[in-house]
Amino acid sequence: WHDTPCPDGVTVPLVNASSRVLVTGGAGFIGMSLMASLGKRDARTRPAVVVGVDSFNDYYAPAMKRGRAARLKHEFGYDVVEADVCNTSVVDGLFEKYTFTHVVHLAAQAGVRYSITHPMTYARNNLECVVSLLNYVAHRTPQPAYVYASSSSVYGLNKKIPFSELHAIDHPANLYGISKFAGEQIAAAYHNLHGLKSVGLRFFTVYGPWGRPDMAVSLFTNEIENGETITLFNGGDMRRDFTYVDDVVRGVEFAMEYCADNAAVFNLGNSKPVQLGYVLAQIEKRLGVKAKFKYQASNAEIKETYADISKARELLGYSPTTSIESGLDQFMAWYNKLDKRTRGEWAGGRFKAERQNAH
Ligand code: NAD
């Protein structure tokens, strides 16, 4: 590893023409967006190799994941290998072939509500796979730079806003948040035991083109368009720190070059929480259709997420710039280019069937 201006004794590989990057969850929303961003760099800073791994599971439409993988292949020549990231022999085979300088671990079972009904899926994908990948990576010589996805959900019942990395985490509110917090703790243990440097990124409600159909922006858009009734939890009186995907991806790219010999954790939010009702109204306006909705009480939803991003600003140079209005414009421009059949196909998956059964 080479010429990063790091403090004494710390070496971190830069992302440049000699980098080789493994992105787990490469067919996922953020994974694909990261791979595409790396692919768009100039010749000096574009990695020599970018490879994804993804299980293409059916939590939401595998067709959408295939669409993302096809885009990466078509535009950048990048492959997303279909495999379970828990499968160490697959990971080993890829390392033997490419000797990755960077691993960005984004593969996970995401979603708060789904974790209530499917706790074991989270134990498997977000605990077992995290341990097996960390254990593999920590025993490589040299160890690659390791960046992984955590979540704002770790803050759980913590009522103090904005959420700061300095806050003690007391009770994540659900299995998803717990699995993500455990991921951070496991990464810290691997630093203590094997000196593995890592950067955990607590993402906050990421949205944008190619966004996940189970999350508010895509979900509302699709439901409004199809005349379906939107369920608004807790009277819609919830605020989320919606963060545009390009801002998040820039943060991930900064984290890939972060110079510190520790197991670091950063908030990557927008630091401007927005009411769900406002987002809904903005989507209605862009679609020119009024939403039908009903209210439902829920104790799984946190009232507000709000990231203090001063640590990421200072140490990573992270600086989100996209307003919710401009982000929604960019999402809608992408959505409008899809034909109706594709929109319908991509809106489905297990989460949708369960949502419909629950109502
Ligand atoms: P996503 O569901 O679109 O992507 C995750 C991908 O991982 C999926 O394509 C899935 O098929 C794959 N995957 C799951 N288990 C796997 C396994 N065992 N082996 C291989 N692949 C597997 O989610 P995303 O929104 O792109 O999120 C990426 C990461 O960021 C996740 O770790 C998620 O928990 C975290 N995160 C996302 C958000 C957000 O707002 N999108 C917020 C907080 C945290």
Side-chain angles (χ1 to χ4, degrees):
W1 309 145
H2 41 94
D3 52 350
T4 315
C6 284
D8 284 353
V10 178
T11 49
V12 171
L14 289 172
V15 180
N16 62 22
S18 52
S19 304
R20 295 169 302 281
V21 182
L22 176 66
V23 180
T24 75
F29 169 38
I30 301 172
M32 182 226 62
S33 306
L34 171 66
M35 289 175 71
S37 173
L38 293 171
K40 282 182 198 156
R41 288 173 167 228
D42 62 30
R44 201 175 46 83
T45 58
R46 187 187 315 121
V49 173
V50 179
V51 177
V53 177
D54 202 294
S55 60
F56 294 85
N57 71 31
D58 63 354
Y59 165 62
Y60 65 82
M64 184 181 204
K65 299 178 184 182
R66 305 245 170 246
R68 295 194 188 111
R71 179 214 171 179
L72 290 171
K73 187 72 185 172
H74 176 73
E75 281 186 39
F76 308 104
Y78 292 162
D79 288 315
V80 179
V81 175
E82 182 162 358
D84 187 330
V85 78
C86 263
N87 186 338
T88 309
S89 62
V90 171
V91 174
D92 185 48
L94 290 170
F95 260 94
E96 286 308 306
K97 193 164 171 193
Y98 298 115
T99 325
F100 296 111
T101 54
H102 298 78
V103 173
V104 184
H105 180 45
L106 302 173
Q109 178 58 55
V112 165
R113 303 198 63 76
Y114 197 69
S115 76
I116 303 168
T117 45
H118 298 267
M120 294 314 289
T121 307
Y122 290 73
R124 155 93 181 150
N125 294 293
N126 301 4
L127 294 176
E128 193 182 329
C129 295
V130 162
V131 174
S132 77
L133 186 62
L134 270 170
N135 199 53
Y136 180 84
V137 162
H139 289 93
R140 294 284 313 182
T141 311
Q143 292 167 333
Y146 188 81
V147 175
Y148 65 96
S150 183
S151 167
S152 60
S153 294
V154 303
Y155 290 106
L157 303 176
N158 203 326
K159 302 273 191 315
K160 236 164 79 186
I161 49 168
F163 298 158
S164 157
E165 300 88 341
L166 296 172
H167 292 168
I169 302 297
D170 46 14
H171 297 101
N174 47 63
L175 254 289
Y176 175 62
I178 287 172
S179 71
K180 287 295 178 181
F181 185 51
E184 295 180 359
Q185 300 292 303
I186 297 165
Y190 270 90
H191 179 256
N192 290 335
L193 297 172
H194 303 290
L196 182 72
K197 295 189 277 278
S198 60
V199 188
L201 302 172
R202 294 175 178 168
F203 299 143
F204 284 67
T205 320
V206 187
Y207 73 101
W210 299 91
R212 271 182 22 217
D214 61 321
M215 294 187 67
V217 169
S218 308
L219 188 67
F220 289 171
T221 304
N222 207 268
E223 288 178 334
I224 295 174
E225 210 189 20
N226 293 325
E228 292 169 33
T229 303
I230 294 175
T231 304
L232 275 182
F233 295 109
N234 300 331
D237 182 23
M238 292 188 294
R239 292 156 69 82
R240 291 287 175 269
D241 201 358
F242 286 93
T243 312
Y244 190 64
V245 64
D246 289 2
D247 289 326
V248 167
V249 163
R250 223 165 291 126
V252 176
E253 292 180 287
F254 289 139
M256 290 168 74
E257 296 185 325
Y258 179 54
C259 279
D261 181 17
N262 62 5
V265 172
F266 293 94
N267 286 341
L268 284 194
N270 198 41
S271 212
K272 291 192 180 71
V274 180
Q275 234 209 351
L276 277 191
Y278 179 76
V279 171
L280 190 59
Q282 289 291 309
I283 295 172
E284 284 178 322
K285 193 167 107 184
R286 282 164 180 75
L287 289 174
V289 182
K290 274 280 179 211
K292 290 188 266 183
F293 53 87
K294 64 172 184 194
Y295 296 128
Q296 189 174 309
S298 167
N299 56 7
E301 312 289 331
I302 296 153
K303 193 158 163 103
E304 174 164 22
T305 65
Y306 179 179
D308 174 341
I309 54 173
S310 49
K311 183 179 174 190
R313 254 190 219 289
E314 187 186 333
L315 298 179
L316 299 180
Y318 170 70
S319 175
T321 55
T322 314
S323 67
I324 186 75
E325 294 81 7
S326 146
L328 287 174
D329 284 343
Q330 294 175 73
F331 167 78
M332 213 51 88
W334 166 79
Y335 189 80
N336 283 332
K337 280 195 227 139
L338 304 178
D339 59 56
K340 200 155 170 46
R341 196 178 62 86
T342 305
R343 287 180 199 168
E345 210 174 74
W346 289 8
R350 260 176 204 278
F351 86 91
K352 182 87 175 175
E354 297 205 2
R355 212 176 145 81
Q356 281 162 344
N357 286 341
H359 299 149

